[in-house]
Amino acid sequence: MGRRLAGVCVLLLMSLPACGQGGRQPGAELGAVGDVREGFTIGLLLPGEGPDRPLFTRALASLCPRCHVQYANAAGDQARQGRQIGRMLADGVRVLVLGAVDPGAAAPWVARAKLSGAKVVAYDRLANGPVDAYVATDPARVGREQALALLGAMKAAGPVLLLNGPATDPYAATVKRAMHAVLDGRVTIGWERDLTRPDEAVREVAAAVAALGGPAKVAGVCCASDAAAEAVAAEMARTGMAGVPLIGHGGRPAALGRVQAGTQTATVRADVAAQAAAAARLAVEVAGGRTVYGTAVVSNGTTVSIPAVLVPPAVVTKAPARKAPAPAPGTARGQGAPSH
């Protein structure tokens, strides 16, 4: 009996360190909300449908095979996204990767997540509030590349139209500043507006054309998004502005099609795979309570010194037509030659 009781006491003593650590595994840091060895759930909240989800899921699987992704698509509805965040927090999700519908209005939801003990990684757009980390395509590089693409495509020195993103969006504001750093003093900016929604672009183009004296007076148009560029391209075709340089941002499949068709001059494309991989890494690191590092440190107006990974963009223009190779001497055209 005495030996059996002593054995039980030894087992209890052996279990005390684990209990005192709150169940944390060796290497886990203070403030951890998830353990890679056991796996945990990461909430991926996006403003709309896109290629991000499968890329993020695949990247996460390589870092944390036992982790699970709980996905929500807000379909552009800010209130809906708020409800989705609330449901995830109620379900016990303690790591959120948030692509905010409205970055400025996201602060209360980010604060609620933090009060519940959750970590928040802002994705693609820098949400307000106490976010732990941020990943996006580098907005300064986007603005610079858009401006350079516009300058390179312009055939006349006339005025240009700049249709920027929302004034309340820190990302859009950075793109705008970088664009002006290139364009100011080199071209005349005949019309500039900060758009709340992409569908406002048609109205602004019509107003600009009227104010400047007709479509022939416009030398180029630069849009904050390919969604706005889509609306502008339709308006340009209607008003006889075919051939006027049109620059977008985002790299949507429809935009790539317009670029190849010649109805949009260029788009500055995000490297979604690189963004998703960086977001997965940051989510795992903040979950483990570790100090995270990025390529920069940013502020969102409510929180300073946010570690950020800013991914370089790529400019997409129309690919030159491939020239078929000449047939080998003595060979009929198309026989024995590879097809393209």
Side-chain angles (χ1 to χ4, degrees):
M1 179 68 179
R3 286 194 298 271
R4 186 180 305 167
L5 182 59
V8 172
C9 289
V10 169
L11 290 173
L12 288 172
L13 287 170
M14 291 175 63
S15 68
L16 283 177
C19 296
Q21 293 173 7
R24 291 192 291 123
Q25 296 289 340
E29 304 294 339
L30 187 64
V33 296
D35 192 299
V36 172
R37 297 186 183 185
E38 297 178 356
F40 52 93
T41 298
I42 295 177
L44 178 63
L45 299 116
L46 298 180
E49 198 59 58
D52 309 76
R53 180 187 181 184
L55 293 169
F56 179 85
T57 302
R58 187 157 56 245
L60 180 64
S62 67
L63 298 170
C64 181
R66 294 179 179 271
C67 284
H68 171 71
V69 177
Q70 185 170 327
Y71 171 69
N73 172 10
D77 188 329
Q78 174 189 332
R80 179 180 182 180
Q81 187 169 71
R83 294 191 295 271
Q84 292 169 342
I85 293 173
R87 282 196 295 271
M88 286 191 184
L89 295 176
D91 289 343
V93 177
R94 289 297 172 262
V95 182
L96 303 180
V97 175
L98 174 63
V101 172
D102 184 340
W109 290 106
V110 174
R112 176 177 172 180
K114 298 298 290 183
L115 286 173
S116 72
K119 309 285 187 176
V120 180
V121 176
Y123 182 77
D124 198 44
R125 306 178 75 186
L126 183 53
N128 279 3
V131 300
D132 296 279
Y134 170 53
V135 58
T137 300
D138 188 341
R141 291 280 294 272
V142 168
R144 174 178 170 79
E145 296 297 345
Q146 281 191 300
L148 291 174
L150 180 63
L151 289 175
M154 288 175 62
K155 302 178 180 65
V160 299
L161 279 55
L162 302 183
L163 303 177
N164 308 312
T168 57
D169 184 345
Y171 189 97
T174 303
V175 171
K176 178 179 175 180
R177 284 195 301 271
M179 193 182 305
H180 274 280
V182 175
L183 296 179
D184 289 354
R186 302 179 72 175
V187 297
T188 299
I189 298 173
W191 191 271
E192 181 173 16
R193 293 292 186 273
D194 297 336
L195 307 184
T196 303
R197 303 185 312 275
D199 59 12
E200 296 172 349
V202 172
R203 180 191 66 203
E204 294 299 333
V205 169
V209 168
L212 295 174
K217 298 294 185 179
V218 179
V221 184
C222 195
C223 298
S225 69
D226 282 329
E230 180 176 10
V232 170
E235 179 66 10
M236 289 171 62
R238 188 187 69 81
T239 56
M241 294 171 63
V244 173
L246 172 62
I247 313 299
H249 166 227
R252 290 183 171 193
L256 300 179
R258 288 193 300 274
V259 170
Q260 291 306 310
T263 56
Q264 182 172 326
T265 310
T267 182
V268 178
R269 186 178 191 177
D271 187 341
V272 182
Q275 277 191 202
R281 175 179 68 81
L282 292 175
V284 169
E285 289 179 352
V286 299
R290 296 190 291 274
T291 301
V292 299
Y293 299 95
T295 59
V297 176
V298 301
S299 169
N300 62 4
T302 56
T303 305
V304 298
S305 301
I306 301 169
V309 175
L310 301 179
V311 180
V315 180
V316 181
T317 57
K318 185 175 182 179
R322 290 185 179 180
K323 185 177 180 180
T331 303
R333 184 175 176 84
Q335 295 179 352
S339 60
H340 292 274

